[in-house]
Amino acid sequence: MKRIVYILSVALMLAGCAAKPHSERVDGMTSPDGKLQMEVLLTSDGTPQYSLKREDTDIILPSSLGFEMRGVLKSTDVDFARDGKAHKIDTKPVRSMHDGFVVVSTEHSSFDETWEPVWGEESSIRNHYNELLLVMEQPGKNTKMNVRFRLFDEGLALRYEFPDGQEDGYMVIKDELTTFNMADDCFAWWIVADYDSQEYEYTGSYLSEIPQLLPDAIRDNSSRTYIDNSSVQTSLQMKMRNGLYVNIHEAALVDYPCMHLNVDAKNHSLKSALTPGADGWKGQIQTPCHTPWRTVQVAETAAAQLANRMTLNLNDPCALEDVSWIHPTKYMGVWWEMIAGAGSWDYTRDFQTVKLGETDYAHATPHGRHSANNENVRKYIDFAAENGFDQLLIEGWNIGWEDWANCNKDYVFDFVTPYPDFDIAALNDYAHKKGIKLMMHHETSSSPRNYERHMEQAYTLMNKYGYDAVKSGYVGNILPEGQYHYSQWMVNHYLYAVKEAAKHHIMVNGHEAVRPTGLCRTYPNLVGNESAMGTEYQAFGGIKPGHTAILPFTRLNGGPMDYTPGIFHMNLKEWCGNDSHVNSTICGQLGLYLTMYSPLQMAADTPEHYAEHMDAFQFIKDVPCDWSESRYIDAEPMDYIIVARKGKKDGKWYMGGVTDEIAREFDIPLDFLGEGTHTAVIYADAPSADCYTNEQAYEITTKTVTSGDTLHVRMACGGGFAVEFK
Ligand code: NOJ
Ligand code: CA
């Protein structure tokens, strides 16, 4: 095969020199079930391409692959390249790695394994694909680039591989040129591209409409830094006009910048747009190396899309030998009262922490609103322990909050010194005696260097007091200036923090970090990320219903989210004077414990608010956060999701759903239930419930059911439901 392909592709290139480039098929493969077909092509100017079909229906038309690399620098160019002025990049020499290729060989293989995640939506996952490795070089240049394709029943993945033994082993990326030429003008659910945040609300529109809608989406999120007016983020969920669901994302983002997608609306084509580093280039790589996977997931139904496990399967197996210390965790937090404005992280406003560690807080005048004080924390410990929670998060326990976010200060937190009214030893002792652990909080205020300086002592302090989970955070612009939350440098930082934490047997939940790409398979101590608009935005102006019916298609494609559900008191004005309103119902909040899968689930409201509805709170107490089986029953992106799951430990089935602003009714066959009769405890929105006007109206009923029955459920505007089968 090798020789023939090589001769053919050289001949093709020579023949094509004079004419307009055209494509010739090089090779191809089908998915294990034979339904998906992909082809590898080479244009007459030596550009590699791929295409994807499902049962002869086009999904991706021939789409080009490759890179533009920075050319070889002269010594005089070096300072210029480091001056951080991205707009000057184009004057640098460029080395094409997107055309002029010949195919050396193609190699086929198959893979089929079933593996068991440490925690997850199911206790075992099948990883089954056919593989095609396209080996290429640019004749006369000693440049080699391979593309590895994997075709699953659920979609296509590809990544670039740069083998050793080529002239420029060290490469600086100017642009990655991976293209996805969609076969039609798909409907897409998107958020605007941004190098720092994915805390946005979604818009649903055809690809061709994105450019005209982007300015509004940007205006609605005016506090954000967006990159340009034609890019969106992944995971991008789409629906083709023929009804197929197609999702573009990436898997195993390691030592590489995060990918967004530029939208060519006229041709409904998408092209990778990498996040630059401080020098304006899009990443540095050193052979032998490979990029993350670019994935095109395909599903016949929205429910099947939610069960797609390609992202996890494309990540390496678990790298940790001992995982016995990693566990699913249900927690409460001294948190929502600060987010909603009823309390504060800082201890005093009297002075700024001019010199970290030297400021004498003991002599400062506290303003009296500091939530992480001994008495308040004990109240939460009591309630969390009484109700069977595993952990209690406490934010604002450590000095530095007087001048944290957006002060652009390198040294803000030391992550080890508590405020004077937080007795770290006594509180941990108190909690442990009651059978729960405290959860650590490390807000870095986006100074990763400062975090890395203190990391060893911070994790050691956690070990000393018996903390085994940390919520980290990256609020504000990244210091050093010029780096972004999604640049290669930061991508490396987040993983460094997870690996260091593993050495200390610490689980990590990173907020504001780059959106996940399935790395939790390799490092299962990465138990959560925020990396999307979470419940906190209900207190920052409110979130439109429907948001939680799109997140499982997009944000959760890469891994679990610390969405922090469980708000029972929606009228914040009445509680703490905050003008925002939580646009959900109590049953809508209960449904989230099923629809927003995470091994780390919070009950985010306060003990007082739960005390008013202990009957509904019972569901949060009962619901597990680790599952042996999950069945997505019905769904439509940004409209509604219904899922049933079986608890890994208790072996019981649970079911939940959420809806957007439209009240919906369903008749759900209970065929997932085992034999015999079951008592269904149904938590449903009352007929009068509504996420804006009557949020706390619910009904709890019980019913005897069997697997042959159908359960009728109704969800109110912005509401949901939850069922526990006993
Ligand atoms: C933003 C996080 O999302 C939120 O949960 C946290 O309380 C604040 N940052 C402070 O770190
Ligand atoms: Ca956040």
Side-chain angles (χ1 to χ4, degrees):
M1 186 74 174
K2 191 171 171 165
R3 223 186 141 70
I4 302 167
V5 173
Y6 189 92
I7 294 166
L8 269 178
S9 53
V10 173
L12 178 66
M13 211 166 79
L14 292 175
C17 285
K20 193 167 166 265
H22 61 278
S23 310
E24 290 279 335
R25 182 183 192 275
V26 173
D27 206 343
M29 62 175 161
T30 55
S31 55
D33 68 2
K35 289 188 178 167
L36 290 179
Q37 307 115 35
M38 68 86 52
E39 289 198 333
V40 178
L41 309 102
L42 195 70
T43 67
S44 49
D45 67 357
T47 301
Q49 294 185 325
Y50 73 100
S51 66
L52 181 66
K53 287 180 200 244
R54 189 173 192 280
E55 294 179 322
D56 293 324
T57 303
D58 286 322
I59 297 172
I60 307 246
L61 301 174
S63 298
S64 299
L65 298 168
F67 287 84
E68 275 192 341
M69 299 295 185
R70 185 181 76 183
V72 177
L73 291 182
K74 294 185 239 95
S75 57
T76 48
D77 292 331
V78 173
D79 283 341
F80 172 71
R82 286 189 179 156
D83 73 3
K85 295 197 176 114
H87 60 274
K88 290 195 179 170
I89 289 172
D90 287 343
T91 66
K92 306 307 303 168
V94 168
R95 190 156 66 89
S96 156
M97 285 191 80
H98 54 86
D99 57 7
F101 280 102
V102 294
V103 175
V104 176
S105 63
T106 57
E107 296 164 20
H108 289 258
S109 59
S110 306
F111 188 79
D112 191 1
E113 69 167 355
T114 299
W115 58 281
E116 291 179 4
V118 176
W119 42 259
E121 296 187 64
E122 46 268 309
S123 46
S124 67
I125 296 177
R126 187 165 182 202
N127 181 15
H128 188 198
Y129 57 81
N130 291 330
E131 184 171 282
L132 192 165
L133 178 67
L134 172 70
V135 180
M136 297 180 295
E137 62 182 41
Q138 290 174 313
K141 289 192 189 167
N142 192 19
T143 29
K144 302 179 203 298
M145 184 177 82
N146 304 339
V147 185
R148 191 178 294 275
F149 297 94
R150 286 185 182 167
L151 195 54
F152 301 76
D153 292 344
E154 305 93 349
L156 174 68
L158 66 93
R159 77 176 184 197
Y160 301 89
E161 300 185 348
F162 299 93
D164 233 346
Q166 48 187 313
E167 208 160 276
D168 297 313
Y170 171 69
M171 290 181 248
V172 178
I173 300 170
K174 178 176 183 289
D175 271 315
E176 184 190 314
L177 305 173
T178 308
T179 313
F180 307 86
N181 292 329
M182 303 310 299
D184 75 31
D185 185 13
C186 305
F187 196 85
W189 292 267
W190 49 270
I191 53 174
V192 298
D194 183 322
Y195 293 149
D196 286 295
S197 178
Q198 53 284 86
E199 295 182 5
Y200 287 103
E201 298 215 82
Y202 283 77
T203 304
S205 80
Y206 288 100
L207 288 174
S208 58
E209 297 169 330
I210 291 180
Q212 80 220 44
L213 293 171
L214 264 161
D216 282 342
I218 291 166
R219 233 188 336 273
D220 288 352
N221 295 277
S222 55
S223 61
R224 304 282 162 217
T225 52
Y226 55 92
I227 56 170
D228 61 41
N229 58 8
S230 64
S231 305
V232 296
Q233 305 208 23
T234 80
S235 130
L236 178 68
Q237 182 62 52
M238 292 176 278
K239 187 175 184 178
M240 298 182 70
R241 288 178 195 255
N242 60 19
L244 274 185
Y245 294 82
V246 182
N247 182 302
I248 297 182
H249 192 32
E250 67 180 315
L253 172 60
V254 177
D255 198 9
Y256 200 81
C258 163
M259 176 183 79
H260 291 322
L261 296 169
N262 274 327
V263 184
D264 170 353
K266 201 163 130 238
N267 300 305
H268 28 86
S269 168
L270 305 160
K271 191 186 266 177
S272 56
L274 301 182
T275 308
D279 59 5
W281 299 97
K282 307 282 177 67
Q284 284 79 24
I285 54 176
Q286 173 77 52
T287 60
C289 59
H290 56 74
T291 65
W293 293 97
R294 278 72 188 88
T295 58
V296 182
Q297 301 174 355
V298 182
E300 251 177 299
T301 63
Q305 172 57 42
L306 292 171
N308 193 309
R309 297 290 170 258
M310 268 177 67
T311 311
L312 285 177
N313 279 332
L314 288 161
N315 276 270
D316 286 340
C318 182
L320 311 178
E321 265 173 37
D322 173 18
V323 292
S324 58
W325 48 276
I326 300 171
H327 52 84
T329 304
K330 245 195 299 182
Y331 73 104
M332 292 188 66
V334 181
W335 176 74
W336 181 238
E337 60 178 69
M338 283 113 87
I339 289 284
S344 157
W345 286 267
D346 49 51
Y347 176 68
T348 171
R349 280 275 165 208
D350 289 356
F351 60 86
Q352 305 275 293
T353 52
V354 219
K355 273 194 177 173
L356 184 79
E358 289 179 17
T359 311
D360 189 356
Y361 278 87
H363 297 105
T365 315
H367 50 43
R369 302 184 72 245
H370 182 225
S371 292
N373 66 71
N374 293 321
E375 194 189 336
N376 197 34
V377 171
R378 267 194 223 103
K379 180 189 81 186
Y380 275 83
I381 292 175
D382 291 345
F383 187 84
E386 273 159 28
N387 290 289
F389 284 83
D390 304 302
Q391 303 210 352
L392 176 73
L393 164 77
I394 300 134
E395 297 200 2
W397 68 277
N398 58 324
I399 64 167
W401 288 90
E402 280 72 14
D403 51 354
W404 65 297
N406 291 323
C407 290
N408 282 3
K409 283 181 79 166
D410 194 354
Y411 290 83
V412 179
F413 296 104
D414 68 3
F415 309 95
V416 292
T417 312
Y419 278 125
D421 58 349
F422 184 87
D423 188 336
I424 187 166
L427 288 170
N428 275 288
D429 201 35
Y430 186 75
H432 297 164
K433 283 197 177 119
K434 295 199 162 217
I436 70 167
K437 281 188 197 300
L438 301 188
M439 188 183 287
M440 181 47 83
H441 185 227
H442 289 163
E443 174 56 60
T444 68
S445 71
S446 283
S447 179
R449 286 195 311 204
N450 187 49
Y451 191 29
E452 287 184 16
R453 276 180 209 124
H454 294 92
M455 197 173 273
E456 182 56 27
Q457 64 206 60
Y459 289 156
T460 303
L461 181 97
M462 288 178 62
N463 288 155
K464 177 177 170 192
Y465 289 111
Y467 292 84
D468 71 0
V470 62
K471 168 179 172 180
S472 55
Y474 296 86
V475 171
N477 296 332
I478 299 291
L479 266 182
E481 232 173 284
Q483 293 291 357
Y484 298 103
H485 282 75
Y486 304 163
S487 46
Q488 184 181 16
W489 193 77
M490 280 306 292
V491 165
N492 289 342
H493 165 82
Y494 306 126
L495 191 54
Y496 174 75
V498 171
K499 288 184 186 176
E500 290 302 301
K503 292 181 192 161
H504 288 264
H505 288 191
I506 288 169
M507 301 181 282
V508 177
N509 163 25
H511 278 226
E512 294 88 30
V514 71
R515 81 279 188 276
T517 55
L519 286 169
C520 57
R521 178 181 179 191
T522 315
Y523 305 99
N525 66 315
L526 177 58
V527 289
N529 278 114
E530 183 194 45
S531 309
M533 183 181 271
T535 294
E536 62 184 4
Y537 280 81
Q538 297 281 22
F540 304 162
I543 305 177
K544 286 188 211 119
H547 184 62
T548 50
I550 184 61
L551 288 177
F553 289 93
T554 54
R555 163 61 186 77
L556 272 65
N557 197 309
M561 175 171 179
D562 184 34
Y563 184 76
T564 69
I567 304 302
F568 275 18
H569 195 103
M570 318 301 178
N571 188 339
L572 302 184
K573 184 120 202 150
E574 190 182 76
W575 169 42
C576 61
N578 182 331
D579 280 333
S580 301
H581 181 272
V582 179
N583 300 323
S584 182
T585 63
I586 285 187
C587 287
Q589 294 291 298
L590 298 185
L592 294 173
Y593 290 88
L594 272 300
T595 59
M596 296 286 290
Y597 166 69
S598 175
L600 182 74
Q601 284 288 17
M602 188 179 199
D605 215 331
T606 64
E608 290 81 0
H609 291 160
Y610 288 135
E612 290 167 11
H613 304 279
M614 286 307 281
D615 54 351
F617 187 57
Q618 185 63 41
F619 183 78
I620 302 182
K621 288 168 63 172
D622 291 349
V623 67
C625 48
D626 195 22
W627 308 97
S628 60
E629 216 181 315
S630 292
R631 301 264 186 101
Y632 285 94
I633 289 166
D634 201 352
E636 201 51 49
M638 221 152 114
D639 290 348
Y640 64 92
I641 295 174
I642 298 171
V643 64
R645 303 187 196 271
K646 191 176 181 186
K648 205 185 258 178
K649 223 168 159 184
D650 67 7
K652 289 197 285 181
W653 281 94
Y654 297 77
M655 182 166 67
V658 293
T659 180
D660 60 2
E661 283 187 338
I662 299 175
R664 298 172 197 271
E665 297 186 39
F666 293 87
D667 288 307
I668 304 169
L670 302 179
D671 50 7
F672 51 84
L673 290 176
E675 285 180 0
T677 54
H678 305 255
T679 305
V681 184
I682 305 154
Y683 300 76
D685 289 324
S688 61
D690 182 296
C691 75
Y692 300 114
T693 56
N694 195 15
E695 323 87 335
Q696 293 177 313
Y698 58 89
E699 287 170 354
I700 304 173
T701 51
T702 52
K703 213 172 173 180
T704 304
V705 294
T706 69
S707 61
D709 289 334
T710 295
L711 191 70
H712 184 81
V713 294
R714 183 188 170 277
M715 303 188 266
C717 157
F721 75 94
V723 186
E724 178 178 354
F725 296 93
K726 297 200 171 181

